[in-house]
């Protein structure tokens, strides 16, 4: 399908129907380059739900460019080879540089233009490891106890100015140059908490641009933001108010945003219309639950690579008597992995008959290891797994199979063969793992899903709900999931899959374009 952005006459700032190119910004890009042992260039997929969601969409948008950070030395080298200009890549079936050796090999999906922005190492550390993660991430996921953390010292103040503010300026400059290269008129789609300050600058320099922002993580109520110094939180809000639309996964997050503008900036908000007035403009707060490309996920599940992994998993965990609990996550403290293993240990203590029959496979991608809180959390994960396995190992088996890997084919294979998928996040904007698993599972698995995920609003009725701080409740819920009758499991999984099929990633994009006065249509240039 060729999808282009056509602005209709209903958009006040744009006038007549016009095609708009898309300039998309996120910190993590869809592909990162490296070198293998032979010195050959490699390309791998970027981490996390944002990349999962956007990868399939961007190729459909003509004249689109994805601006993102150069996250490796090789990314920087690729960008430098093109004097900082965009590179052409194919994202599917595997990520690959297209303009390196002339034409593709015919196997590549449609190309995407990627602008890799190189960031000074010190500025990036300040931006990423001091401000974005942990400070904003922890604040927005409600992870600070506040008695002892966070502590904002000279170090954090310097990191705000020389890191977060400076890096936002750098990326705003890159977005501005891409918009200007398109005649000053573009749909600018900004993503996530790394870039709260960008819209304001882009609006000043490109008044012809339509600006939208999508947040992939929770937005808490006004009081949570008081942890930040007034100048910082006001900069965050004023930056976001440079957009035409600020969008979230859930209505609750959108409402929290408006209440934050009202309480911390004293701006008039309309909670019926879901708008905030900023001078002579109205900024809309909207919610669009993000999703997955169901067809692509099912095609991957049907691939030989996934089938091979699934066969291996069945050899280890298959059999009528055996059951498999699965989790697939970044090793992020917000994912609540340690309490999940504690709940599993409680399950085995309360139901010793399950020892040796039920295993827990955890496919965990080490995440943000340059942030001390994340490195500590990974160590905690290793420690609890060692404790549970020491306490409950039987002859020839360990109850928890912990694999620190990033392997999409293995993860999808595990979705197909598991009996229970555990998602017990403390707080999660959406959680795409839950959506992925229900559309490809073949064993009528049960979704055990935290009530604090965005996904729970759509899939909660078909899941066993987990209360993320209550380890006993999680153990009981796992038992309920493992002992649920097959008919009920099948009915629930099918219903959950239907919800995901009907609300897929294409619908997420279309809803936003429609609200912006931008409707998808045929690309007249193709
Ligand atoms: P987040 O955006 O916080 O990382 P989501 O659940 O929304 O959380 O998205 C995570 C994405 O990363 C999913 O597409 C999931 O399949 C993928 N993923 C997570 N862990 C792994 C892993 N260990 N190996 C491969 N893919 C993973
Ligand atoms: O989806 C939430 C998110 O924070 C994305 O913004 C991010 O790209 C992803 O998780 C993975 O995190 P990181 O890019 O820090 O590895």
């Amino acid at each position: 399908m060729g999808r282009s952005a056509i602005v209709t006459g209903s958009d006040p700032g744009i006038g007549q129907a016009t095609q708009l190119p898309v300039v998309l910004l996120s910190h993590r890009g869809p592909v990162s380059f490296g070198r293998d042992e032979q010195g050959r260039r490699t390309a791998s997929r970027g981490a996390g739900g944002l990349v999962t969601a956007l990868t399939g969409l961007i190729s459909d948008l003509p004249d689109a460019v994805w601006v993102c950070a150069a996250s490796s030395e090789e990314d920087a080298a690729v960008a430098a080879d093109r004097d900082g200009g965009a590179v052409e890549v194919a994202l599917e079936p595997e990520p690959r540089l297209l303009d390196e050796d002339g034409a593709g090999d015919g196997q590549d999906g449609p190309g995407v233009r990627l602008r890799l922005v190189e960031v000074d190492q010190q500025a990036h550390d300040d931006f990423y490891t001091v401000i974005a993660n942990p400070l904003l991430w922890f604040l927005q996921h409600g992870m600070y106890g506040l008695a002892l953390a966070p502590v904002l010292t000279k170090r954090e103040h310097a990191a705000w100015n020389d890191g977060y503010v400076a890096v936002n300026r750098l990326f705003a400059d890159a977005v501005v140059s891409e918009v200007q290269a398109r005649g000053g008129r573009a749909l600018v789609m900004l993503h996530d908490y790394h870039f709260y300050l960008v819209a304001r600058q882009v609006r000043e320099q490109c008044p012809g641009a339509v600006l939208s922002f999508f947040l992939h993580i929770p937005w808490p109520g006004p009081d949570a933001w008081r942890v930040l110094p007034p100048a910082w939180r006001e900069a965050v809000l004023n930056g976001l108010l440079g957009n035409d639309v600020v969008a979230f996964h859930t209505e609750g997050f959108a409402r929290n945003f408006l209440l934050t503008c009202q309480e911390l900036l004293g701006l008039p908000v309309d909670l019926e219309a879901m708008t905030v007035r900023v001078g002579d403009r109205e900024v809309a707060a909207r919610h669009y639950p993000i999703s997955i490309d169901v067809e692509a996920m099912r095609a991957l599940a049907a691939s030989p690579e996934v089938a091979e992994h699934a066969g291996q998993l069945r050899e280890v965990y298959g059999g009528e008597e055996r059951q498999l609990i699965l989790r697939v996550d970044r090793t992020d403290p917000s994912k609540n992995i340690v309490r999940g293993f504690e709940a599993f240990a409680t399950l085995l203590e309360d139901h010793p008959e399950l020892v040796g029959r039920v295993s827990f496979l955890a496919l965990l991608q080490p995440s943000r290891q340059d942030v001390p809180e994340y490195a500590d959390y990974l160590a905690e994960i290793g420690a609890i797994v060692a404790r549970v396995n020491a306490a409950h190992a039987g002859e020839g088996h360990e109850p928890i199979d912990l694999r620190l890997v990033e392997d999409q084919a293995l993860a999808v294979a595990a979705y197909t063969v598991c009996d229970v998928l555990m998602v017990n996040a403390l707080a999660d904007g959406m959680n795409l793992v839950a959506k992925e698993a229900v559309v490809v599972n073949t064993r009528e698995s049960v979704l055990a899903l935290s009530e604090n995920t965005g996904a729970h609003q759509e899939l909660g009725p078909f899941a066993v709900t987990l209360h993320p701080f209550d380890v006993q409740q999680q153990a009981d819920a796992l038992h309920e999931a493992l002992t649920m009758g097959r008919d009920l499991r099948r009915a629930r999984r099918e219903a959950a899959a239907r919800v995901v099929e009907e609300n897929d990633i294409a619908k997420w994009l279309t809803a936003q374009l429609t609200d912006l006065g931008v409707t998808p249509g045929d690309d007249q240039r193709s």
Side-chain angles (χ1 to χ4, degrees):
M1 175 179 50
R3 225 180 285 158
S4 61
I6 298 183
V7 176
T8 66
S10 67
D11 188 291
I14 305 295
Q16 288 188 336
T18 316
Q19 284 199 334
L20 282 189
V22 172
V23 178
L24 188 149
L25 172 69
S26 70
H27 173 256
R28 177 73 61 185
V31 52
S32 182
F33 300 101
R35 292 269 169 193
D36 66 15
E37 280 157 14
Q38 282 77 42
R40 287 174 305 213
R41 183 168 276 159
T42 59
S44 59
R45 183 177 176 267
L50 181 154
V51 163
T52 297
L54 298 183
T55 291
L57 286 181
I58 187 85
S59 318
D60 278 346
L61 295 169
D63 198 16
V65 61
W66 187 333
V67 181
C68 58
S71 63
S72 66
E73 276 178 31
E74 197 58 25
D75 286 356
V78 168
D81 284 351
R82 285 134 188 102
D83 294 326
V87 303
E88 192 80 13
V89 296
L91 299 179
E92 292 165 326
E94 293 297 326
R96 177 167 179 228
L97 205 51
L98 281 181
D99 58 355
E100 190 169 39
D101 49 9
D105 55 12
Q107 304 290 308
D108 301 311
V112 172
R113 259 194 303 269
L114 208 60
R115 174 150 173 183
L116 295 159
V117 178
E118 197 180 351
V119 188
D120 165 77
Q121 182 67 47
Q122 181 61 48
H124 189 265
D125 282 355
D126 284 349
F127 158 83
Y128 186 80
T129 72
V130 183
I131 302 296
N133 314 294
L135 187 59
L136 295 174
W137 184 274
F138 276 44
L139 185 161
Q140 294 190 237
H141 287 82
M143 277 159 39
Y144 282 125
L146 297 189
L148 295 172
V151 180
L152 306 182
T153 66
K154 264 198 190 65
R155 168 89 180 92
E156 283 70 28
H157 280 271
W160 173 262
N161 292 321
D162 305 338
Y164 196 78
V165 175
V167 171
N168 269 255
R169 199 175 300 126
L170 180 71
F171 279 87
D173 289 343
V175 169
V176 165
S177 81
E178 293 294 339
V179 174
Q180 286 172 345
R182 289 162 177 77
R185 290 155 67 79
L187 171 60
V188 176
M189 304 186 87
L190 306 169
H191 286 266
D192 242 351
Y193 58 101
H194 310 91
F195 294 127
Y196 286 142
L197 314 184
V198 167
R200 191 180 174 147
Q201 181 183 333
V202 177
R203 173 171 291 280
E204 279 163 15
Q205 294 180 243
C206 306
V210 177
L211 285 147
S212 74
F213 180 93
F214 190 85
L215 183 66
H216 292 253
I217 67 174
W219 185 281
D223 284 346
W225 291 94
R226 292 188 187 279
V227 164
L228 298 185
W232 299 15
R233 64 199 192 214
E234 284 164 20
V236 164
L237 291 170
N238 285 323
L240 282 172
L241 292 171
N243 289 286
D244 296 293
V245 175
V246 183
F248 304 85
H249 287 305
T250 70
E251 190 177 2
F253 299 154
R255 198 176 315 111
N256 282 344
F257 172 69
L258 292 179
L259 294 173
T260 311
C261 293
Q262 183 180 47
E263 197 163 319
L264 300 185
L265 293 183
L267 293 175
V269 304
D270 181 338
L271 292 174
E272 285 282 307
M274 295 298 280
T275 54
V276 49
R277 179 150 281 281
V278 192
D280 60 354
R281 291 194 308 121
E282 295 233 299
V283 177
R286 293 286 177 264
H287 67 283
Y288 309 103
I290 208 163
S291 195
I292 58 166
D293 182 335
V294 175
E295 258 175 56
M297 180 50 56
R298 287 188 170 144
L300 181 58
S303 70
E305 198 186 351
V306 168
E308 196 181 327
H309 280 300
Q312 287 162 359
L313 290 172
R314 270 194 215 96
E315 268 174 37
V316 183
Y317 298 112
E320 274 310 300
E321 288 299 297
R322 302 287 305 273
Q323 284 179 298
L324 183 64
I325 302 172
L326 171 71
R327 78 174 307 144
V328 175
D329 276 308
R330 291 183 298 104
T331 54
D332 194 302
S334 67
K335 303 292 181 184
N336 208 18
I337 296 164
V338 171
R339 281 198 196 83
F341 288 140
E342 278 167 3
F344 180 58
T346 304
L347 170 78
L348 297 181
E349 280 148 26
D350 291 351
H351 301 279
E353 72 281 5
L354 297 182
V355 175
R357 281 184 41 207
V358 176
S359 302
F360 194 149
L361 173 63
L363 303 178
L364 301 182
Q365 172 184 355
S367 184
R368 305 177 186 164
Q369 291 303 292
D370 41 0
V371 181
E373 287 84 344
Y374 282 75
D376 293 348
Y377 193 67
L378 183 52
E380 290 285 340
I381 291 171
I384 178 102
V385 170
R387 282 203 300 278
V388 177
N389 278 347
H392 298 286
E395 214 163 294
H397 85 90
E398 286 192 322
I400 301 176
D401 181 352
L402 170 65
R403 303 191 196 177
L404 295 178
V405 286
E406 178 186 3
D407 186 334
Q408 194 187 22
L410 176 60
V412 173
Y415 293 152
T416 67
V417 303
C418 70
D419 297 286
V420 177
L421 178 81
M422 184 180 209
V423 175
N424 66 328
L426 302 175
D428 210 325
M430 177 49 66
N431 197 280
L432 291 181
V433 166
K435 293 189 172 183
E436 291 171 341
V438 299
V439 300
V440 298
N441 180 266
T442 60
R443 276 177 68 93
E444 311 306 0
S445 72
V446 179
L447 178 60
L449 182 61
S450 163
E451 63 173 346
N452 291 354
T453 60
H456 194 268
Q457 300 204 349
E458 292 168 272
L459 304 182
F462 318 111
V464 169
T465 294
L466 300 180
H467 301 292
F469 306 100
D470 187 341
V471 165
Q472 183 65 52
Q473 187 275 341
Q474 290 178 55
D476 296 342
L478 286 177
H479 189 256
E480 181 190 341
L482 290 164
T483 53
M484 192 181 285
R486 188 178 175 82
D487 289 349
L488 183 55
R489 284 188 281 130
R490 178 186 300 129
R492 286 182 166 197
R493 196 201 59 76
E494 286 176 356
R498 270 197 303 278
V499 169
V500 181
E501 283 158 12
E502 283 161 17
N503 299 284
D504 67 353
I505 188 67
K507 188 166 170 184
W508 174 81
L509 179 68
T510 306
Q512 289 175 75
L513 297 179
T514 304
D515 283 358
L516 282 160
V518 175
T519 55
D522 290 334
D523 178 13
Q524 289 161 10
R525 285 158 298 175
S526 62

